[in-house]
Amino acid sequence: MLAVIFSLVAESQSVMTYYQCSDKYIELRNIMETHDGNIIMNCPIFEDDNGVFVDLGTWLYKVSQQGEPLDSLFIEDNDMLRFLLAKNPVDENNNILVKTFRDFDNTSSSLKISFFTDNPLEIQNEIFVPLQDTIVKLDAYYLDSDNDIIVTYSASQKFYVARVGLDGTLKDKAMLPELSMSLFQ
């Protein structure tokens, strides 16, 4: 089980790069090539307000291979710490963006799968898959060879791994055993 988790982290598609444009800070969290050869970037944007960083939201940007801006789509008004951005392996007409949706009012968490098109950047459908009746902290996402989303997360000081189909089916969920420090000595 641990080898699977380590391989999930090792094969993560996330790229973290920061750069500054005037008083705006852009964090490049993930990039992917579109079906037509252009590039989609997932970029949370922050503003420096007298030394305090203000979250301006997260955008998808489509650029040509030469870096020319082609399209953009506002997708969230909060910081997305972990997510998966990938081509949809079962429908080449769209892509997927996967993140954890945390409902602080109901103290529950779901996996949010958004399907969006390349041209234009447009959300076509969103599916919510319940994960926990508590707020979770996401660790990693991975799209496996069976086209399932594997997600690892922690909740109430316990660690979990779940397998979710692209249709929103929760196929499996298990709590991972607690690790003993004696394993690492």
Side-chain angles (χ1 to χ4, degrees), residues 6 9 12 18 20-22 24 37 53 55 57 61 85 101-102 118-120 156 158 183:
F6 290 134
V9 174
S12 172
Y18 301 87
Q20 181 181 4
C21 302
S22 65
K24 305 283 190 286
F53 286 104
D55 185 355
Y61 288 104
L85 175 66
F101 176 78
R102 295 178 290 193
D118 283 351
N119 193 17
S156 304
K158 306 263 189 233
L183 292 173

Side-chain angles (χ1 to χ4, degrees), residues 111 113 115 127-131 147-151 162-173:
L111 193 66
I113 307 170
F115 298 90
I127 299 172
F128 291 84
V129 182
L131 288 178
N147 300 326
D148 290 331
I149 300 164
I150 308 298
V151 57
R163 176 183 296 274
V164 178
L166 290 178
D167 63 354
T169 304
L170 180 61
K171 295 183 174 182
D172 193 17
K173 181 173 87 169

Side-chain angles (χ1 to χ4, degrees), residues 76 95-98 112-116 123 125-127:
E76 294 294 332
N95 307 289
I96 57 172
L97 176 70
V98 181
K112 180 179 177 182
I113 307 170
S114 300
F115 298 90
F116 67 96
I123 300 291
N125 188 23
E126 293 183 321
I127 299 172

Side-chain angles (χ1 to χ4, degrees), residues 13 30-35 40-42 60 73 75 80 83-99 111-118 121-127 141-144 146-150 164-168:
Q13 299 174 12
N30 191 250
I31 60 174
M32 63 169 262
E33 185 175 359
T34 63
H35 298 94
I40 294 179
M41 304 181 299
N42 187 299
L60 289 181
L73 174 67
I75 56 171
M80 294 180 7
F83 58 89
L84 172 68
L85 175 66
K87 292 178 188 175
N88 186 338
V90 296
D91 181 358
E92 68 179 41
N93 294 320
N94 63 38
N95 307 289
I96 57 172
L97 176 70
V98 181
K99 68 171 277 217
L111 193 66
K112 180 179 177 182
I113 307 170
S114 300
F115 298 90
F116 67 96
T117 56
D118 283 351
L121 288 180
E122 182 176 79
I123 300 291
Q124 297 296 306
N125 188 23
E126 293 183 321
I127 299 172
Y141 294 111
Y142 175 70
L143 190 61
D144 74 2
D146 294 327
N147 300 326
D148 290 331
I149 300 164
I150 308 298
V164 178
L166 290 178
D167 63 354

Side-chain angles (χ1 to χ4, degrees), residues 19-20 58 71 106:
Y19 54 96
Q20 181 181 4
T58 300
D71 199 3
N106 295 323

